[in-house]
Amino acid sequence: MTGFGKLFILLGVIFIVIGLIWSFIGKLPGDITFKTGNTTIYFPIVTSIVVSIILSVIFMIVGRLK
């Protein structure tokens, strides 16, 4: 198996783990939700920061493997 194939397997496993964690947590503390009547506004601030950090680490690892 080539290095590129191993990379895709590793990324797949990482995404599966992240998806499982996300499905149990749902909403992180720090995400802002406004509910008024029938309207709900959701600002996933902390979730966006966490996803950004995870993607940055993944891209840094991929860049070093090149």
Side-chain angles (χ1 to χ4, degrees), residues 18-32:
I18 291 170
L20 288 172
I21 292 171
W22 201 323
S23 66
F24 288 115
I25 293 175
K27 187 178 94 148
L28 294 176
D31 291 347
I32 301 170

Side-chain angles (χ1 to χ4, degrees), residues 3-56:
F4 202 61
K6 290 179 184 178
L7 176 66
F8 274 129
I9 292 172
L10 177 66
L11 288 175
V13 169
I14 289 171
F15 281 127
I16 289 172
V17 169
I18 291 170
L20 288 172
I21 292 171
W22 201 323
S23 66
F24 288 115
I25 293 175
K27 187 178 94 148
L28 294 176
D31 291 347
I32 301 170
T33 304
F34 294 110
K35 292 182 183 180
T36 55
N38 292 333
T39 306
T40 302
I41 300 173
Y42 177 64
F43 296 104
I45 296 171
V46 175
T47 303
S48 299
I49 292 170
V50 170
V51 169
S52 175
I53 291 170
I54 291 170
L55 287 174
S56 296

